[in-house]
Amino acid sequence: MSRWRLLAGSVLLSALMPLQAEEPTFTIENTNFLLHQHSGLDDTAYLYDYDRLRLSGGWRDGGYFLTGIGDVVNHLGNGYVHSDEFTLLDDVRPDIPFEVRTEAQHYGPGAAHARIYRLYGGYEDSVQRVTAGIQKISMGVGRIWTPTDLYNAKNSYALEPDEVYGVLAATYSYAPSDLSTVTAVASVRHDRSFKYAARAKGYLSFADVGIDFIRSEDTLMVGYELEGNFFTTGAEWRSEGGYFKSDLLDTEFFQGIAGFDYGFENGITWVVEALYSSETFTYTKLLDNYADELVGNMVQSPFYAGTTLMYDFNLAFSGSFLYIESFDEANSRFVAPSLTYTLNDHNTFTAGILLGFGSDSSAFGPYGERFYLEWQASY
């Protein structure tokens, strides 16, 4: 395993070493999951360990900056690393025109690979920001779902919802005023075709309002974003949605969300959100198009409602609870409670469950269940 850790470190350091950094940063983070999981493809159960060593480096000189993040990923569990589910997920690659990771190297009961997770640089000042490289492009205002984000959509059903692949892109943002921004994005996809996005966002008298546009060779999206205060209650409301047209999937549809969140004085944060889609997709079609840029929008039910509760019991313990109900011909639900213990600034421990309930033909029935223990250490 040491050579894979050295490979990720050397890739990251080779990018940052030629620079004489005025404010260099370097961090090491190790995230380890022990999981008991039922497969989403069959009834097989697996017990395995998932470990990610992350090396992050940054440099800044005035308005110029460079960021690099490299990972070494290891799965340990003989049954899981030789399963169809592992093969399916391991074959998924970032939507960029070259490899940024090694092939999985199998060693007895485990498999490991190294990858470049982020590598981008740019310039920013008080009114503009320019970036280029492997980066995250975020769009949308949703907390549970972000249907307008066709670059790095949040996946609330995943073990780590915000762990998303980067894209090879150049971005430019300009702020004509303190309350408005205009952003343009051009990215290169795996087949060397281009994908373009534009967003204009500003504050009107009732809310922040945004208009989004994304165009690739196969897909068109025209969308909106809204978020504002719910009168004087202290709650915030939001909505986003868009018209989608896919030549590859031979379909066009509307999909959008509406929701609000509120922070109580006792430390509870409450989020409610609903998702509507005029088009639904079967589980088989989702698996057949797992690498498609619209995979995050390929829902099996026309309507979902979800809520999250987060609470800090004290300085050491915090908890969260996610509940999502799918309203279709065979109702199903997804539940994800977790409890986190913060030992100190460098170590946190989390125990959690991801559960899908419903028939095999429902939206969450095939999901199965995952029980996990997580240890995250940073240095």
Side-chain angles (χ1 to χ4, degrees), residues 40-81:
L41 301 178
D42 52 45
D43 293 329
T44 307
Y46 306 106
L47 178 65
Y48 66 97
D49 184 88
Y50 163 64
D51 184 86
R52 181 184 64 244
L53 176 70
R54 173 160 291 173
L55 309 175
S56 303
W59 165 88
R60 178 176 288 273
D61 185 1
Y64 296 94
F65 59 90
L66 179 65
T67 298
I69 304 175
D71 294 338
V72 178
V73 179
N74 181 62
H75 290 86
L76 183 62
N78 189 63
Y80 181 69
V81 300

Coordinates of all heavy atoms in Angstrom, one line a residue, residues 40-81:
G40 N -27.3 -3.5 -3.8 CA -28.4 -3.0 -4.5 C -28.8 -3.8 -5.7 O -29.8 -3.6 -6.4
L41 N -27.9 -4.8 -6.1 CA -28.1 -5.6 -7.3 C -28.7 -7.0 -6.9 O -29.4 -7.6 -7.7 CB -26.8 -5.8 -8.0 CG -26.1 -4.6 -8.4 CD1 -24.7 -4.9 -9.1 CD2 -26.9 -3.8 -9.4
D42 N -28.5 -7.5 -5.7 CA -29.1 -8.8 -5.3 C -29.2 -8.8 -3.8 O -29.0 -7.7 -3.1 CB -28.2 -9.9 -5.8 CG -26.7 -9.8 -5.4 OD1 -26.4 -9.4 -4.3 OD2 -25.9 -10.0 -6.3
D43 N -29.4 -9.9 -3.2 CA -29.6 -10.0 -1.7 C -28.3 -10.3 -1.0 O -28.3 -10.6 0.2 CB -30.6 -11.1 -1.4 CG -32.0 -10.7 -1.9 OD1 -32.3 -9.5 -1.9 OD2 -32.8 -11.6 -2.2
T44 N -27.1 -10.2 -1.6 CA -25.9 -10.5 -1.0 C -25.5 -9.4 0.0 O -25.7 -8.2 -0.2 CB -24.7 -10.6 -2.1 OG1 -25.1 -11.5 -3.1 CG2 -23.4 -11.1 -1.4
A45 N -24.9 -9.8 1.1 CA -24.5 -8.9 2.2 C -23.0 -8.9 2.2 O -22.3 -10.0 2.1 CB -25.1 -9.3 3.5
Y46 N -22.4 -7.7 2.4 CA -20.9 -7.6 2.5 C -20.5 -6.9 3.7 O -21.1 -5.9 4.2 CB -20.4 -6.8 1.3 CG -20.8 -7.3 -0.1 CD1 -21.8 -6.7 -0.8 CD2 -20.3 -8.5 -0.6 CE1 -22.2 -7.1 -2.1 CE2 -20.6 -9.0 -1.9 CZ -21.6 -8.3 -2.6 OH -22.0 -8.7 -3.8
L47 N -19.4 -7.3 4.3 CA -18.7 -6.6 5.4 C -17.3 -6.2 4.8 O -16.5 -7.1 4.5 CB -18.6 -7.5 6.6 CG -17.8 -6.8 7.8 CD1 -18.6 -5.6 8.3 CD2 -17.6 -7.9 8.9
Y48 N -17.1 -4.9 4.8 CA -15.8 -4.5 4.2 C -15.4 -3.2 4.8 O -16.1 -2.5 5.5 CB -15.9 -4.4 2.7 CG -16.8 -3.3 2.2 CD1 -16.3 -2.1 1.8 CD2 -18.1 -3.5 2.0 CE1 -17.1 -1.1 1.3 CE2 -19.0 -2.5 1.5 CZ -18.4 -1.3 1.1 OH -19.3 -0.4 0.6
D49 N -14.1 -2.8 4.6 CA -13.5 -1.6 5.0 C -13.2 -0.7 3.9 O -12.6 -1.1 2.9 CB -12.2 -1.9 5.9 CG -11.7 -0.6 6.5 OD1 -12.1 -0.2 7.6 OD2 -10.8 0.0 5.8
Y50 N -13.6 0.6 4.0 CA -13.3 1.6 2.9 C -12.4 2.7 3.5 O -12.8 3.3 4.5 CB -14.6 2.2 2.4 CG -14.4 3.4 1.6 CD1 -13.7 3.5 0.4 CD2 -15.0 4.6 2.0 CE1 -13.5 4.6 -0.3 CE2 -14.9 5.8 1.3 CZ -14.1 5.8 0.1 OH -14.0 7.0 -0.6
D51 N -11.3 2.9 3.0 CA -10.3 3.9 3.5 C -9.9 4.9 2.4 O -9.6 4.4 1.3 CB -9.1 3.2 4.1 CG -8.2 4.2 4.8 OD1 -8.4 4.5 6.0 OD2 -7.2 4.6 4.1
R52 N -9.9 6.2 2.8 CA -9.4 7.2 1.8 C -8.4 8.1 2.5 O -8.7 8.8 3.5 CB -10.5 8.0 1.3 CG -10.1 9.1 0.3 CD -11.2 10.0 -0.1 NE -11.8 10.8 0.9 CZ -13.0 10.7 1.4 NH1 -13.9 9.8 0.9 NH2 -13.4 11.4 2.4
L53 N -7.1 8.1 2.0 CA -6.1 9.0 2.5 C -6.1 10.2 1.5 O -5.9 10.0 0.3 CB -4.7 8.3 2.5 CG -3.6 9.2 2.9 CD1 -3.6 9.6 4.4 CD2 -2.2 8.5 2.6
R54 N -6.3 11.4 2.1 CA -6.4 12.6 1.2 C -5.2 13.5 1.6 O -5.1 13.9 2.7 CB -7.7 13.2 1.4 CG -7.9 14.6 0.7 CD -9.3 14.9 0.5 NE -9.9 14.0 -0.5 CZ -11.2 14.0 -0.8 NH1 -12.1 14.8 -0.1 NH2 -11.7 13.2 -1.7
L55 N -4.5 13.9 0.6 CA -3.4 14.9 0.7 C -3.8 16.2 0.0 O -4.1 16.1 -1.2 CB -2.1 14.4 0.1 CG -1.7 13.0 0.6 CD1 -0.4 12.5 -0.2 CD2 -1.4 13.0 2.0
S56 N -3.9 17.3 0.7 CA -4.4 18.5 0.1 C -3.3 19.6 0.3 O -2.7 19.8 1.3 CB -5.6 19.0 0.8 OG -6.7 18.1 0.7
G57 N -3.0 20.3 -0.8 CA -2.1 21.4 -0.8 C -2.6 22.6 -1.5 O -3.4 22.6 -2.4
G58 N -2.2 23.8 -1.0 CA -2.7 25.1 -1.5 C -1.6 26.1 -1.5 O -0.7 26.1 -0.7
W59 N -1.6 27.0 -2.5 CA -0.7 28.1 -2.6 C -1.4 29.4 -3.0 O -2.3 29.3 -3.8 CB 0.4 27.8 -3.6 CG 1.3 28.9 -4.1 CD1 2.4 29.3 -3.5 CD2 1.0 29.7 -5.2 NE1 2.9 30.4 -4.2 CE2 2.1 30.7 -5.2 CE3 0.0 29.8 -6.2 CZ2 2.2 31.7 -6.2 CZ3 0.1 30.8 -7.2 CH2 1.2 31.7 -7.2
R60 N -1.0 30.5 -2.4 CA -1.6 31.8 -2.8 C -0.5 32.9 -2.8 O 0.3 32.9 -1.8 CB -2.7 32.1 -1.9 CG -3.4 33.5 -2.1 CD -4.6 33.7 -1.2 NE -5.7 32.9 -1.6 CZ -6.6 33.2 -2.5 NH1 -6.5 34.3 -3.2 NH2 -7.6 32.4 -2.8
D61 N -0.6 33.7 -3.8 CA 0.3 34.9 -3.8 C -0.6 36.1 -4.4 O -0.8 36.1 -5.6 CB 1.5 34.6 -4.8 CG 2.5 35.8 -4.7 OD1 2.2 36.8 -4.0 OD2 3.5 35.7 -5.5
G62 N -1.0 36.9 -3.5 CA -1.9 38.0 -3.9 C -3.2 37.4 -4.3 O -3.9 36.7 -3.6
G63 N -3.6 37.7 -5.5 CA -4.9 37.2 -6.1 C -4.7 35.9 -6.8 O -5.7 35.2 -7.1
Y64 N -3.5 35.4 -6.9 CA -3.3 34.1 -7.6 C -3.3 32.9 -6.7 O -2.8 33.1 -5.5 CB -1.9 34.1 -8.4 CG -1.9 35.2 -9.5 CD1 -1.4 36.4 -9.2 CD2 -2.4 34.9 -10.7 CE1 -1.3 37.4 -10.2 CE2 -2.3 35.8 -11.8 CZ -1.8 37.1 -11.5 OH -1.8 38.0 -12.5
F65 N -3.8 31.8 -7.1 CA -3.9 30.6 -6.2 C -3.8 29.3 -7.0 O -4.1 29.3 -8.2 CB -5.2 30.7 -5.4 CG -6.5 30.7 -6.3 CD1 -7.1 29.5 -6.6 CD2 -7.0 31.8 -6.7 CE1 -8.2 29.4 -7.5 CE2 -8.2 31.8 -7.5 CZ -8.7 30.6 -7.9
L66 N -3.5 28.3 -6.3 CA -3.4 26.9 -6.8 C -3.8 26.0 -5.7 O -3.4 26.1 -4.6 CB -2.0 26.6 -7.3 CG -1.8 25.2 -7.9 CD1 -2.6 25.0 -9.2 CD2 -0.3 25.0 -8.2
T67 N -4.6 25.0 -6.1 CA -5.1 24.0 -5.2 C -4.9 22.6 -5.8 O -5.2 22.4 -7.0 CB -6.6 24.2 -4.8 OG1 -6.8 25.4 -4.2 CG2 -7.1 23.1 -3.9
G68 N -4.4 21.7 -5.0 CA -4.3 20.3 -5.4 C -4.7 19.3 -4.4 O -4.4 19.5 -3.2
I69 N -5.5 18.3 -4.7 CA -5.9 17.3 -3.8 C -5.7 15.9 -4.4 O -6.2 15.7 -5.5 CB -7.4 17.5 -3.4 CG1 -7.7 18.9 -2.8 CG2 -7.8 16.4 -2.4 CD1 -9.1 19.2 -2.6
G70 N -5.0 15.0 -3.7 CA -4.8 13.7 -4.2 C -5.3 12.7 -3.2 O -5.2 12.9 -2.0
D71 N -5.8 11.5 -3.7 CA -6.3 10.5 -2.8 C -5.7 9.2 -3.1 O -5.3 8.9 -4.2 CB -7.8 10.3 -3.0 CG -8.7 11.5 -2.6 OD1 -8.2 12.3 -1.8 OD2 -9.8 11.6 -3.1
V72 N -5.6 8.4 -2.0 CA -5.3 6.9 -2.1 C -6.5 6.2 -1.5 O -6.9 6.4 -0.4 CB -4.1 6.5 -1.4 CG1 -3.9 5.0 -1.5 CG2 -2.8 7.2 -1.9
V73 N -7.2 5.4 -2.4 CA -8.5 4.8 -2.0 C -8.3 3.3 -1.9 O -7.7 2.7 -2.8 CB -9.6 5.1 -3.0 CG1 -10.9 4.4 -2.6 CG2 -9.8 6.6 -3.1
N74 N -8.7 2.7 -0.8 CA -8.5 1.3 -0.6 C -9.8 0.6 -0.1 O -10.5 1.2 0.8 CB -7.4 1.0 0.5 CG -7.2 -0.5 0.7 OD1 -6.8 -1.2 -0.2 ND2 -7.4 -0.9 1.9
H75 N -10.2 -0.5 -0.7 CA -11.3 -1.3 -0.3 C -10.8 -2.6 0.2 O -10.0 -3.3 -0.5 CB -12.3 -1.5 -1.4 CG -13.1 -0.3 -1.8 ND1 -12.6 0.6 -2.7 CD2 -14.3 0.2 -1.4 CE1 -13.5 1.6 -2.8 NE2 -14.5 1.3 -2.0
L76 N -11.2 -3.1 1.4 CA -10.7 -4.3 2.0 C -11.9 -5.2 2.3 O -12.7 -4.8 3.2 CB -9.8 -4.0 3.2 CG -9.2 -5.3 3.9 CD1 -8.2 -6.0 2.9 CD2 -8.4 -4.8 5.1
G77 N -12.0 -6.3 1.7 CA -13.1 -7.2 1.9 C -13.3 -8.1 0.7 O -13.7 -7.6 -0.4
N78 N -12.9 -9.3 0.8 CA -12.8 -10.2 -0.3 C -14.1 -10.3 -1.1 O -14.1 -10.3 -2.3 CB -12.4 -11.6 0.2 CG -12.0 -12.5 -1.0 OD1 -11.1 -12.3 -1.7 ND2 -12.8 -13.6 -1.1
G79 N -15.2 -10.5 -0.4 CA -16.5 -10.6 -1.1 C -16.9 -9.4 -1.9 O -17.3 -9.5 -3.0
Y80 N -16.7 -8.2 -1.3 CA -17.1 -7.0 -1.9 C -16.2 -6.6 -3.1 O -16.7 -6.3 -4.2 CB -17.1 -5.8 -0.9 CG -17.5 -4.5 -1.5 CD1 -18.9 -4.3 -1.9 CD2 -16.6 -3.5 -1.7 CE1 -19.3 -3.2 -2.5 CE2 -17.1 -2.3 -2.3 CZ -18.4 -2.1 -2.7 OH -18.8 -1.0 -3.3
V81 N -14.9 -6.7 -3.0 CA -14.0 -6.3 -4.1 C -14.1 -7.2 -5.3 O -13.6 -6.8 -6.4 CB -12.6 -6.1 -3.6 CG1 -12.5 -5.1 -2.5 CG2 -12.0 -7.5 -3.2

